[in-house]
Amino acid sequence: MNTPSVDDSDSRGTGTGSDRDVGVSGNPPDSDSDSRDTGTGSDGGVGVSGNPPDSPAARLQALFEGHRLTPTQRRIAHSMVRRAAEVPFLSSVELAELAGVSQPSVTRFAVALGFDGYPALRKHLREVGPAEQSTEPGTYNEYQQAVEAEIENLKHLAEVLADPRPVHRAGRLLAASRPLPVLGLRAAASQAYGFAYFAAKVHPDVRLLHEGGTMIHDRIDAAVRAGATTLLCFALPRHPREVVDTLAYARSAGLTVVTVADSAFAPVAKVSDLLLPAAVGTGLAFDTACAPMLLGRVLLEAMCDDLPDAQARLEEFDTRATARGLFVE
């Protein structure tokens, strides 16, 4: 079976929604919510999946925790996590270019973390996590560079998946929800479609929500009335406000929200119960989403592990497909 092709995504951007300061865990400042954290709690209240504890990305995330960051600062933090091994060797100008912000913003970011300036922050990063500076070939053209960037995103995803517990929890939540609504709007619509297409072969009731509008709340209400307990969301930049509003509504309706997003600092973090990050590539005119797509397939695998009749359903489909001559071998 071939994976559906990825639709054209919205023009690349890194907007992060509200200007209100938000902590790196995704909770609003002074939030009383205890349903989202960076730990490994129960299915009822799980948080952002972490990186391996000794990885450069994990050390950076630990450094950011407990600080209220503005949207611009969250963008810098996200860029640093994505390029964790290189950050100790980047100048403030280079980091600013990487994050798409001004150089003074990088300086203010370092001060917000408690350092005298960016040099002090960089010195700290070199001391706590010494690493050899990466050397990338300078002969790659822009298309090759985009591929190399996606390879790095996949390597980072592999590091995150070294701790499979968040994915296992997500699989249990998705398998237990009957029906299972799957949300993805705009750039993320193709990710939601791809997941729903394959999930429908093993899950008895998958409901794709890939078109926005006034009826989306009605469809969530219908899913809840039918017995849904969990909603799976794919959220990619630029993040539509409608997705954030829809997830907030889904949680108010009693659904547990599992989200695949491009960053642990994405705007959807504050309205998700379990956030699984997978970075997108930004080297081309439109973002590339190899890591989110692969993470979606990983979630499918985890869900199948918790569906006792998944294999039987697949075999039944193959038998019928053969009888119909559905595929050309």
Side-chain angles (χ1 to χ4, degrees):
M1 294 177 289
N2 293 328
T3 303
S5 60
V6 176
D7 299 337
D8 291 338
S9 64
D10 287 354
S11 178
R12 183 175 70 251
T14 53
T16 54
S18 170
D19 291 333
R20 181 178 60 179
D21 289 359
V22 177
V24 295
S25 66
N27 292 323
D30 303 323
S31 171
D32 292 330
S33 171
D34 59 358
S35 62
R36 296 178 300 279
D37 54 42
T38 55
T40 56
S42 64
D43 288 354
V46 288
V48 178
S49 68
N51 294 287
D54 294 329
S55 70
R59 288 192 290 269
L60 280 172
Q61 288 183 327
L63 177 64
F64 302 148
E65 287 179 4
H67 296 279
R68 295 181 180 180
L69 302 179
T70 67
T72 296
Q73 290 168 348
R74 292 201 307 272
R75 187 183 306 176
I76 298 170
H78 171 44
S79 298
M80 292 177 71
V81 170
R82 288 180 56 193
R83 306 289 284 273
E86 302 173 34
V87 165
F89 305 97
L90 297 180
S91 68
S92 60
V93 173
E94 290 171 330
L95 179 57
E97 292 178 352
L98 179 66
V101 301
S102 66
Q103 188 275 335
S105 293
V106 173
T107 300
R108 289 192 292 269
F109 172 72
V111 172
L113 295 179
F115 297 92
D116 293 335
Y118 180 73
L121 170 59
R122 185 172 61 178
K123 180 176 182 292
H124 171 76
L125 295 177
R126 289 180 177 179
E127 290 174 349
V128 300
E132 295 182 2
Q133 183 174 7
S134 61
T135 56
E136 297 182 359
T139 57
Y140 289 152
N141 62 40
E142 60 178 316
Y143 310 124
Q144 292 175 301
Q145 290 173 8
V147 173
E148 290 295 321
E150 283 289 53
I151 291 173
E152 290 303 312
N153 287 340
L154 291 172
K155 288 180 178 178
H156 182 257
L157 177 60
E159 292 180 359
V160 171
L161 293 176
D163 178 6
R165 289 173 296 177
V167 169
H168 289 164
R169 288 196 298 275
R172 290 194 297 270
L173 289 166
L174 302 180
S177 184
R178 312 289 176 88
L180 172 61
V182 180
L183 172 68
L185 302 182
R186 292 187 177 266
S190 59
Q191 306 298 325
Y193 175 85
F195 181 94
Y197 171 79
F198 290 114
K201 299 185 184 307
V202 293
H203 192 288
D205 191 353
V206 179
R207 303 189 182 185
L208 177 63
L209 309 176
H210 67 303
E211 295 179 352
T214 59
M215 292 184 62
I216 196 164
H217 288 188
D218 296 341
R219 298 186 65 187
I220 289 175
D221 289 338
V224 171
R225 285 195 300 270
T229 55
T230 299
L231 179 145
L232 173 63
C233 173
F234 289 86
L236 300 178
R238 302 173 65 178
H239 292 277
R241 184 179 302 277
E242 185 175 14
V243 171
V244 177
D245 294 341
T246 299
L247 294 186
Y249 183 82
R251 295 186 79 216
S252 71
L255 293 176
T256 298
V257 173
V258 176
T259 302
V260 173
D262 60 302
S263 166
F265 308 100
V268 292
K270 60 185 177 183
V271 286
S272 300
D273 296 292
L274 172 57
L275 180 69
L276 302 167
V280 299
T282 58
L284 302 177
F286 298 94
D287 289 345
T288 50
C290 295
M293 182 183 71
L294 180 55
L295 182 52
R297 298 301 184 268
V298 169
L299 286 177
L300 275 169
E301 186 75 11
M303 184 182 73
C304 287
D305 290 341
D306 278 277
L307 289 170
D309 57 347
Q311 186 61 39
R313 285 177 176 271
L314 285 174
E315 291 174 358
E316 180 183 0
F317 171 80
D318 285 341
T319 299
R320 291 180 177 178
T322 300
R324 295 164 55 192
L326 191 58
F327 301 110
V328 178
E329 301 299 337

